[in-house]
Amino acid sequence: MGYEKTFSIIKPNAINKNVIGKIMAQFEENNLKIAAAKLSKIERSKCEEFYAEHKERPFFGELVDFMTSGPVMLMVLAGEGAIAKNREIMGATNPAEAAEGTLRKLYADSMGENAVHGSDSPTSAEREISLFFEPNEIVNE
Ligand code: CMP
């Protein structure tokens, strides 16, 4: 496992709740560094590329509508076992199944509007980071 980078998004519903700082604090308190961050709006075509693996799913259109509906915080998180650690901090995709204290338990509204995204493997982390960040934007590894 070792020192890793992972990709994280604070989704539009969490931005609406004004909890960017609280979410970033959870990462920092769990020994993840904010290696890169930008508040941004995702273009529809970029969002479709990002979620390409879900293209055939019935919720794809809804997912892209939601993720392009408002600003998001795009981040690279770095640290020991960052990929698994971030997933633990986020909790289950379905907030009904998310453990107490996890970001999704605290801030998700539904399966679709589930507050945060995190890469699920080293391969996705690499793909997702390179989709949204140039290497020279990752300034705090
Ligand atoms: P995320 O981690 O961003 O990756 C894919 C997203 O698809 C997931 O979070 C959910 O927000 C969304 N998703 C997964 N399953 C469903 C579902 N059954 N209905 C609606 N959205 C879903």
Side-chain angles (χ1 to χ4, degrees):
M1 193 158 60
Y3 196 85
E4 293 173 334
K5 282 181 288 188
T6 190
F7 180 66
S8 166
I9 306 179
I10 302 178
K11 300 189 179 188
N13 68 312
I15 302 277
N16 260 325
K17 293 178 185 185
N18 221 15
V19 291
I20 296 173
K22 286 187 175 162
I23 291 176
M24 289 172 97
Q26 288 249 25
F27 295 139
E28 293 183 324
E29 283 158 14
N30 284 280
N31 292 321
L32 291 176
K33 286 172 74 172
I34 314 295
K38 53 189 168 194
L39 193 57
S40 183
K41 269 189 94 170
I42 309 180
E43 294 287 333
R44 195 168 185 92
S45 60
K46 182 91 152 205
C47 192
E48 287 170 351
E49 186 183 356
F50 175 67
Y51 279 127
E53 67 178 293
H54 299 298
K55 207 168 50 193
E56 306 305 330
R57 305 275 195 100
F59 59 80
F60 182 71
E62 204 177 293
L63 176 62
V64 174
D65 286 346
F66 167 60
M67 290 299 287
T68 56
S69 68
V72 291
M73 179 63 93
L74 306 169
M75 287 170 288
V76 178
L77 307 176
E80 273 304 305
I83 297 167
K85 191 180 275 183
N86 180 34
R87 293 179 69 76
E88 205 179 307
I89 297 165
M90 290 193 301
T93 304
N94 183 349
E97 291 162 12
E100 281 307 320
T102 60
L103 295 174
R104 283 169 171 159
K105 182 73 180 184
L106 289 166
Y107 305 122
D109 294 298
S110 62
M111 181 88 133
E113 303 199 5
N114 63 355
V116 282
H117 166 83
S119 309
D120 62 4
S121 68
T123 311
S124 356
E126 204 174 309
R127 184 185 79 87
E128 294 174 359
I129 290 169
S130 65
L131 208 50
F132 290 102
F133 288 94
E134 297 297 331
N136 67 4
E137 292 180 302
I138 304 169
V139 290
N140 184 37
E141 280 187 72

